Amino acid sequence: TQLLEQSPQFLSIQEGENLTVYCNSSSVFSSLQWYRQEPGEGPVLLVTVVTGGEVKKLKRLTFQFGDARKDSSLHITAAQPGDTGLYLCASKGTYKYIFGTGTRLKVLA
Amino acid sequence: NAGVTQTPKFQVLKTGQSMTLQCAQDMNHNSMYWYRQDPGMGLRLIYYSASEGTTDKGEVPNGYNVSRLNKREFSLRLESAAPSQTSVYFCASRRWGEGYNEQFFGPGTRLTVL
């Protein structure tokens, strides 16, 4: 069974700082998704990466897929309080998804 | 469009009681999922239904049963609740096809078993 490890588990930073969170797998991803979950709500999809080395940008968020498709990172530039939440990576199989343990981010104003 | 709806939002049960969590989606998706979320453990798949009429076990199916009532509805039943089933439960449906693949989640049911 594929295992997804995310680091760090918790991150508390000041508004305006940059940060990077990581998702690592014990095996190759077919594709990798990043979700954000706000308190009291379900996760919402941010991005899907498919190709090794792929980089996708979503405003201040930059997602990178490792060349070997076993790791991924999410970089946030100039974090804002609205970025606060739980960030989850997920690997997709034919029908099933495996989620990482998550990085809980808090951005202080 | 309401998306994915779940009822109830909160529930407290005593050990040994039974209950059914309801989930419905209005997006005409074929696949639906039930997850549980516990602190420090991310989302773990309990059961899924790839299409109407089929259900399959996920990572943590013990103590649960599911019913795919029709294309819209997918329910999760706890026959004899245990304190270890205290968790937040999320239902999701999946849109997939050429160039896209996305799960849409409901708001969750927070269940406490005493």
Side-chain angles (χ1 to χ4, degrees), chain A residues 9-28:
Chain A
Q9 267 194 299
F10 301 97
L11 193 54
S12 180
I13 61 172
Q14 293 293 132
E15 182 177 3
E17 292 184 356
N18 301 333
L19 67 115
T20 303
V21 299
Y22 300 91
C23 176
N24 292 285
S25 172
S26 56
S27 52
V28 174

Side-chain angles (χ1 to χ4, degrees), chain A residues 1 9 31 33 35 37 40-45 48 86 88 90 92-102 104, chain B residues 9 31 33 35 37 40-43 45 48 50 57-59 90 94 96 101-108 110:
Chain A
T1 303
Q9 267 194 299
S31 65
Q33 296 185 321
Y35 289 78
Q37 183 179 14
E41 299 181 9
V44 175
L45 179 68
T48 301
L86 178 67
L88 295 159
K92 183 192 76 65
T94 304
Y95 289 108
K96 296 194 291 188
Y97 293 74
I98 297 172
F99 281 82
T101 50
R104 193 167 295 279
Chain B
K9 288 209 74 171
S31 302
Y33 301 80
Y35 293 91
Q37 186 173 38
M41 302 195 72
L43 288 161
L45 182 63
Y48 68 100
K57 295 178 180 179
E59 294 176 73
F90 288 97
R94 177 183 170 213
W96 67 281
N101 174 15
E102 179 176 0
Q103 286 188 94
F104 294 82
F105 285 84
R110 188 174 295 274

Side-chain angles (χ1 to χ4, degrees), chain B residues 78-100:
Chain B
L78 286 69
E79 290 290 351
S80 179
S84 61
Q85 294 178 305
T86 293
S87 188
V88 182
Y89 291 85
F90 288 97
C91 176
S93 68
R94 177 183 170 213
R95 178 182 81 142
W96 67 281
E98 190 65 37
Y100 54 84

Side-chain angles (χ1 to χ4, degrees), chain B residues 5 7 9 13 16 20 27 31 49 51 57-58 64 73-74 78 88-89 98 101 107 109 112-113:
Chain B
T5 57
T7 55
K9 288 209 74 171
L13 295 177
T20 299
M27 296 173 283
S31 302
S49 171
S51 60
K57 295 178 180 179
Y64 305 95
E73 298 171 288
F74 188 36
L78 286 69
V88 182
Y89 291 85
E98 190 65 37
N101 174 15
T109 294
T112 301
V113 183

